């Protein structure tokens, strides 16, 4: 690979699994990823989604960090409108003190759920409008340079946890550029603005205390298996799962019903979400990732293994592992 590879672990709760099973799998995968040479693993804040167990990223990061030794771990990301900057500074400051040099903090502007969930979190949509100022307030706490008189983050102050701006639009690109922070684009599910957003970020970037030159992380879906047909069938299953997540509203579609929806205009939204997906044999996926890194003008790729089958999910990451290139043994 021409760039570093990292992992986005959505802490999926697979068919027949419990949330506890998902966490056990995340720890096991992190231990393997550490041996395989991946740069970092991130966990994303999602709420009110029965198939994703990463609602509390700081807690999950701490658990995984306690069972690993060196791999970087972080949020990709914390949805800052759901929280006060001080609370996040204290949470990630605690992580930074417990696991120095290993913690990242990616920040997103979306609520990480629907409007009903946002209301249940006791937040309003107006919270997203404060995102730029909240990022600066959070950064001040972590640097020990609080912007709020008489308030310091303990733990947090002086840990200087590195911040990353997550986004899928020009807004995040422009903010990351103005603040001189790394930019992570969510092309693994919202690919439309990838090229324009990265171009804007690189063109407008202003050096900062954290970062001298622009740094882009791009998300991409992956499924790798020695049998290409198996990988393609897993992709089909993954699309069916997304049909249920997006359109189920409390009911579960049969495979036949899901396939019918995928063939309808609204189903094309799911195909669009998976525009950037490396699916096939390990060699095919690695070749795709190499192409995608250039296409995205990325300095690092963060891969989301989307295979519903737990073994193929894990083995996908082994097949593309950086430390052992094309000969990794899952």
């Amino acid at each position: 690979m021409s760039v570093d590879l990292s992992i986005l672990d959505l802490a999926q709760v697979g068919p027949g699994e419990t949330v506890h099973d998902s966490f056990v799998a995340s720890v096991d995968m992190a231990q393997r990823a550490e041996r395989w040479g991946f740069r970092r693993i991130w966990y994303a804040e999602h709420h009110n989604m029965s198939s994703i167990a990463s609602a509390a990223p700081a807690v999950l990061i701490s658990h995984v960090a306690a069972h690993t030794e060196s791999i970087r771990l972080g949020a990709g990301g914390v949805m800052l409108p759901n929280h006060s900057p001080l609370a996040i500074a204290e949470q990630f400051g605690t992580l930074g003190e417990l696991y120095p040099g290993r913690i990242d903090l990616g920040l997103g502007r979306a609520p990480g759920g629907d409007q009903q969930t946002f209301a249940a979190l006791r937040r309003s949509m107006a919270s997203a409008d404060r995102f730029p100022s909240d990022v600066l307030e959070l950064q001040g706490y972590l640097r020990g340079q609080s912007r709020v008189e008489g308030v310091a983050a303990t733990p947090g102050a002086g840990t200087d946890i590195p911040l990353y701006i997550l986004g899928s639009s020009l807004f995040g690109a422009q903010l990351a550029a103005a603040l001189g922070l790394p930019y992570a684009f969510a092309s693994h599910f919202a690919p439309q603005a990838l090229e324009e957003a990265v171009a804007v970020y690189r063109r407008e970037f202003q050096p900062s205390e954290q970062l001298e030159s622009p740094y882009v992380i791009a998300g991409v879906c992956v499924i790798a298996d020695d049998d290409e047909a198996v990988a393609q069938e897993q992709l089909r299953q993954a699309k069916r799962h997304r049909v249920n997540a997006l359109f189920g509203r409390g009911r579960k579609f049969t495979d036949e019903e899901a396939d019918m929806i995928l063939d309808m205009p609204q189903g094309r939204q799911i195909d669009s979400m998976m525009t950037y997906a490396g699916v096939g044999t390990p060699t095919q996926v690695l070749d795709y990732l190499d192409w995608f890194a250039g296409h995205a003008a990325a300095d690092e790729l963060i891969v989301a293994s989307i295979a519903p089958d737990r073994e193929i999910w894990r083995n996908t990451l082994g097949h593309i592992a950086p430390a052992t290139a094309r000969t990794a043994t899952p």
Side-chain angles (χ1 to χ4, degrees):
M1 287 298 303
S2 57
V3 299
D4 284 332
L5 284 181
S6 297
I7 295 169
L8 176 64
D9 181 1
L10 295 174
Q12 297 176 97
V13 183
E17 290 185 339
T18 65
V19 168
H20 179 77
D21 294 332
S22 172
F23 293 154
V24 169
S26 288
V27 169
D28 174 68
M29 188 271 288
Q31 292 170 337
R32 293 169 186 264
E34 189 170 71
R35 297 196 301 269
W36 290 336
F38 285 93
R39 181 175 178 82
R40 69 182 97 236
I41 303 173
W42 280 359
Y43 306 91
E45 178 184 348
H46 290 84
H47 298 283
N48 195 29
M49 300 182 73
S50 61
S51 61
I52 297 180
S54 51
V59 180
L60 182 54
I61 290 166
S62 186
H63 177 64
V64 176
H67 290 82
T68 52
E69 296 179 1
S70 59
I71 194 167
R72 295 193 68 89
L73 300 165
V78 162
M79 301 299 107
L80 195 52
N82 295 342
H83 313 277
S84 74
L86 178 60
I88 297 304
E90 291 167 342
Q91 290 174 20
F92 279 80
T94 299
L95 290 170
E97 295 288 2
L98 289 170
Y99 309 103
R102 296 182 59 194
I103 303 301
D104 301 326
L105 177 49
L107 301 169
R109 187 169 67 120
D114 56 27
Q115 290 192 2
Q116 286 178 299
T117 304
F118 213 39
L121 289 166
R122 301 298 188 268
R123 313 300 284 179
S124 72
M125 297 306 290
S127 301
D129 296 335
R130 297 195 303 270
F131 183 66
S133 60
D134 282 355
V135 171
L136 289 172
E137 184 179 333
L138 172 58
Q139 187 178 60
Y141 289 132
L142 293 172
R143 287 183 174 169
Q145 301 167 354
S146 176
R147 290 170 171 258
V148 181
E149 186 176 354
V151 178
T154 306
T159 56
D160 211 7
I161 302 296
L163 302 183
Y164 299 73
I165 299 297
L166 278 58
S168 58
S169 68
L170 299 188
F171 177 89
Q174 291 168 327
L175 179 62
L179 299 181
L181 295 175
Y183 180 50
F185 190 89
S187 35
H188 60 292
F189 75 88
Q192 289 77 12
L194 170 64
E195 294 172 84
E196 186 180 5
V198 171
V200 166
Y201 169 71
R202 290 193 177 279
R203 183 174 66 246
E204 298 183 5
F205 181 84
Q206 299 295 315
S208 69
E209 184 178 333
Q210 179 177 329
L211 196 63
E212 292 183 357
S213 56
Y215 191 86
V216 173
I217 303 174
V220 57
C221 299
V222 287
I223 303 176
D225 191 86
D226 290 327
D227 186 334
E228 182 182 359
V230 170
Q232 291 294 339
E233 175 57 27
Q234 283 290 294
L235 176 62
R236 188 70 175 178
Q237 292 288 347
K239 289 181 178 181
R240 288 168 177 161
H241 282 295
R242 291 208 179 179
V243 167
N244 280 289
L246 291 176
F247 307 121
R249 301 185 185 279
R251 63 163 292 185
K252 189 178 187 309
F253 296 110
T254 66
D255 286 350
E256 292 76 16
E257 290 170 332
D259 287 343
M260 288 178 61
I261 293 171
L262 286 169
D263 291 334
M264 295 177 180
Q266 58 264 48
R268 291 174 198 150
Q269 175 187 352
I270 292 171
D271 280 329
S272 176
M273 291 171 70
M274 297 186 178
T275 296
Y276 296 121
V279 179
T281 66
T283 297
Q284 290 172 327
V285 173
L286 283 164
D287 288 345
Y288 180 85
L289 293 178
D290 219 17
W291 168 83
F292 177 70
H295 174 75
D299 301 289
E300 179 180 336
L301 299 183
I302 188 159
V303 299
S305 179
I306 58 171
D309 181 281
R310 180 63 76 186
E311 184 175 0
I312 297 173
W313 169 83
R314 183 188 65 241
N315 290 353
T316 287
L317 300 169
H319 285 314
I320 64 172
T324 48
R326 297 169 190 258
T327 58
T329 301

